[in-house]
Amino acid sequence: ETGVTQSPTHLIKTRGQQVTLRCSSQSGHNTVSWYQQALGQGPQFIFQYYREEENGRGNFPPRFSGLQFPNYSSELNVNALELDDSALYLCASSRGGGIRYEQYFGPGTRLTVT
Amino acid sequence: AQTVTQSQPEMSVQEAETVTLSCTYDTSESDYYLFWYKQPPSRQMILVIRQEAYKQQNATENRFSVNFQKAAKSFSLKISDSQLGDAAMYFCAYCSNTGNQFYFGTGTSLTVIP
């Protein structure tokens, strides 16, 4: 196994609510990236955090925000949930501020918005 | 924006045979990174193979090799001596040279027939 963990495994929220997803990176990794994977689709890059700073962002609105902590774990926050936010959210960690190298993925958090 | 296209939603191969998965991409950058990731059912995504655009030599990892055609913006994956454990969703992915943007294709579901 890769060592990247995510919590919770599954989550059900109501439209308009807010949600926080958590990710613990693999030991020695200082970069965390978040992806949204809708059913039957490829993952879409949300953003990347390197040394507690956002270091790249995909085409997602500001209601998707994140944090990275001194131990390099990370949170993804989504405000004002919409039905289309229902997806598998993947976290991946890597070394050295670059996702040009190997990323290690977590098992994901399945978010359902009703 | 960069795009990654996988035109084969599903592929199948006989065990021990060879299969090639196709991927094309669009970019205006000259330096970038390309990847193939494997996502087994209900399991974590793992890196299969990685190619730097500035390297002319095609990457190889055991039974997995790529055919990288930079001018054609093509990046196919060849799996030799296919095994039952190769059955999974395969994603082609592109990473910018700066390492702060990452794009996945829509995936190819590979079935290995015993």
Side-chain angles (χ1 to χ4, degrees):
Chain A
E1 295 297 334
T2 63
V4 178
T5 61
Q6 293 185 242
S7 62
T9 305
H10 296 89
L11 201 52
I12 299 175
K13 288 286 189 177
T14 302
R15 189 172 52 183
Q17 286 187 316
Q18 177 267 342
V19 68
T20 298
L21 310 182
R22 295 178 175 82
C23 171
S24 292
S25 59
Q26 182 156 319
S27 177
H29 288 184
N30 56 14
T31 302
V32 173
S33 302
W34 286 92
Y35 298 86
Q36 180 194 68
Q37 187 175 19
L39 197 62
Q41 300 294 317
Q44 289 193 56
F45 175 68
I46 302 175
F47 45 54
Q48 175 196 158
Y49 276 82
Y50 170 56
R51 292 184 176 176
E52 303 177 56
E53 297 285 332
E54 188 178 292
N55 186 42
R57 189 179 184 92
N59 189 27
F60 280 81
R63 61 188 185 85
F64 285 78
S65 63
L67 282 174
Q68 187 178 32
F69 300 99
N71 67 354
Y72 303 127
S73 65
S74 177
E75 287 183 353
L76 164 65
N77 298 291
V78 187
N79 294 322
L81 284 166
E82 300 176 0
L83 297 179
D84 285 349
D85 295 333
S86 295
L88 180 69
Y89 287 84
L90 298 170
C91 157
S93 72
S94 55
R95 300 177 194 272
I99 49 181
R100 298 165 284 182
Y101 309 105
E102 183 169 4
Q103 295 185 81
Y104 292 82
F105 283 81
T109 293
R110 174 73 63 186
L111 173 65
T112 301
V113 182
T114 62
Chain B
Q2 284 77 3
T3 58
V4 178
T5 301
Q6 293 180 250
S7 59
Q8 305 155 316
E10 298 178 347
M11 291 282 285
S12 62
V13 61
Q14 291 285 144
E15 195 175 2
E17 296 296 312
T18 296
V19 65
T20 298
L21 309 184
S22 300
C23 173
T24 59
Y25 58 94
D26 185 30
T27 183
S28 57
E29 298 180 327
S30 58
D31 288 329
Y32 46 87
Y33 301 81
L34 297 166
F35 305 82
W36 280 97
Y37 275 89
K38 171 184 178 182
Q39 189 176 39
S42 301
R43 294 192 62 186
Q44 290 162 237
M45 183 127 33
I46 58 173
L47 177 66
V48 174
I49 200 164
R50 172 178 173 270
Q51 174 83 43
E52 294 98 332
Y54 64 86
K55 289 188 177 178
Q56 294 185 346
Q57 186 173 4
N58 289 324
T60 299
E61 289 287 342
N62 300 315
R63 298 182 295 108
F64 299 88
S65 61
V66 299
N67 184 6
F68 173 48
Q69 301 290 328
K70 190 173 184 179
K73 296 180 182 176
S74 170
F75 182 62
S76 61
L77 174 69
K78 185 172 80 171
I79 305 174
S80 303
D81 185 26
S82 296
Q83 301 175 0
L84 295 178
D86 294 334
M89 183 72 79
Y90 286 81
F91 292 100
C92 178
Y94 170 103
C95 182
S96 65
N97 183 46
T98 55
N100 62 2
Q101 291 292 331
F102 206 93
Y103 303 89
F104 279 92
T106 52
T108 296
S109 178
L110 179 66
T111 300
V112 180
I113 303 166

